[in-house]
C-alpha cells in the first residue's frame, strides 16, 4: 500500500483503515492488561539487578500486532526472526538482500496459511475481518493485496514502535524534568510526539520519490527517473522549521514532525503508535520512577533507529 498511488492506494486503504482503527479501539482493555503483565518480570528483575529494556520494548508491540491479527503466541520467535531479516532490506542502505528475500517468502507463506485457516474458521481478530472483506468484495481487496496488507502490518507493526519505546526510555532517563509530561495522559502524547521528532524510529521513507522531470535542489540537479530517498530524521531536525531542533522539548510549538509521513500516505497505525508508546512509558514511570542507566545504551544505526541494548537499574541501588 505504501508504494501505490491513487486510485489503487485509495481503494486499498479504504478497505483496511476503518477496520484496523475500530479493531484497535476494541482491544484497548486487553492492551492495558497485557502491558501490566509484561511489566511484572522487568519490575521483578530490577529488585535484584539490571534489566535490559529492549526485550520489553520489542515484546509489547510484537505480541500486540500478533494478538490483533489473531496469530498463535507460540509463533512469536518465527515472526521476530523473519521481520528482523526483512526490515533492513527496505530503504536506501545496503541490506541483507538474500536473507530478506527468503524471509519475505517464508512470511508470505505463513500468512497464506493463516488466511486459509480463517476462511475455514473465522474468528473475531483483524485478519478474519480482512478475509471477510476480501470474500464479500474481492474487487475491493483482491487476494494478492490482502496478503500484501497483512505482510505490511507485520513488518511495520512493531519494529518501529519498539525503536520508539527504546528511545523514549532513554530520553526519560536523560531528561527527568521533562518526563513529567508522562504523568498526564494528554501531555504524554506530547512526550511521544517529541520522541518521534527528536530521533525518528525510521530514518528514511519506506519508498523513494521519483521525479518525472529534472529538478534542481540547492544547486544539485536531480534527473528525471532518479530515486530520491528523503531522510525523515534530518527533516525533523531542520533548523529552518524547528526552533532549537537538537533539544528535546516536549510540548514545543510549531509544525508536526514527519515521522508518520503525510497526506494520503500518513501512517495507518499512527494511533496504535501513540497508544502503545504512551501506555508503556507512562506505566514505566509510575512503577519505576527511579529508573536509571546501568550502562550507556547502545544506539542502533541504519534505517531503523532505537537501541540494541538499554540496561537499566533502580536509582536507589
Amino acid at each position: 500500500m505504501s508504494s501505490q498511488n491513487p486510485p489503487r492506494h485509495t481503494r486499498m486503504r479504504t478497505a483496511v483503515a476503518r477496520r484496523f482503527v475500530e479493531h484497535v479501539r476494541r482491544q484497548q482493555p486487553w492492551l492495558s492488561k497485557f502491558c501490566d503483565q509484561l511489566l511484572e518480570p522487568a519490575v521483578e528483575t530490577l529488585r535484584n539487578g539490571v534489566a535490559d529494556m529492549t526485550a520489553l520494548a520489542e515484546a509489547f508491540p510484537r505480541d500486540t500486532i500478533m494478538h490483533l491479527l489473531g496469530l498463535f503466541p507460540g509463533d512469536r520467535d518465527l515472526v521476530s526472526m523473519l521481520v528482523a531479516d526483512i526490515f533492513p532490506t527496505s530503504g536506501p542502505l545496503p541490506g541483507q538482500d538474500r536473507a530478506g528475500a527468503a524471509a519475505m517468502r517464508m512470511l508470505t507463506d505463513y500468512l497464506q496459511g493463516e488466511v486459509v485457516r480463517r476462511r475455514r474458521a473465522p474468528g473475531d481478530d483483524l485478519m478474519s475481518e480482512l478475509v471477510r472483506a476480501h470474500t464479500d468484495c474481492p474487487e475491493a481487496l483482491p487476494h494478492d493485496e490482502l496478503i500484501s496488507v497483512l505482510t505490511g502490518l507485520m513488518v511495520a507493526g512493531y519494529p518501529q514502535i519498539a525503536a520508539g519505546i527504546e528511545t523514549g526510555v532513554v530520553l526519560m532517563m536523560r531528561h527527568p524534568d521533562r518526563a513529567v509530561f508522562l504523568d498526564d495522559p494528554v501531555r504524554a502524547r506530547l512526550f511521544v510526539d517529541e520522541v518521534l521528532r527528536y530521533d525518528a524510529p525510521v530514518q528514511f521513507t519506506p519508498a523513494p520519490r521519483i521525479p518525472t522531470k529534472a529538478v534542481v535542489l540547492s544547486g544539485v540537479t536531480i534527473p528525471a527517473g532518479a530515486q530520491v530517498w528523503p531522510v525523515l530524521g534530518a527533516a525533523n531536525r531542520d533548523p529552518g522549521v524547528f526552533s532549537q531542533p537538537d533539544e528535546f522539548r516536549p510540548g514545543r510549538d510549531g509544525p508536526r514532525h514527519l515521522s508518520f509521513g503525510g497526506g494520503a500516505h500518513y501512517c495507518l497505525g499512527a494511533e496504535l503508535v501513540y497508544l502503545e508508546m504512551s501506555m508503556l512509558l507512562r506505566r514505566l514511570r509510575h512503577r519505576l520512577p527511579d529508573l536509571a542507566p546501568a550502562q550507556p545504551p547502545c544506539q542502533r544505526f541504519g534505517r531503523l533507529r532505537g537501541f540494541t541494548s538499554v540496561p537499566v537499574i533502580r536509582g536507589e541501588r
Side-chain angles (χ1 to χ4, degrees), residues 213-222:
K213 61 182 180 180
V215 178
V216 179
L217 290 177
S218 301
V220 177
T221 299
I222 302 173

Side-chain angles (χ1 to χ4, degrees), residues 165-180:
I165 292 171
E166 292 157 3
T167 303
V169 172
V170 171
L171 291 172
M172 281 172 56
M173 296 187 293
R174 288 180 180 171
H175 303 279
D177 57 324
R178 292 161 194 178
V180 296

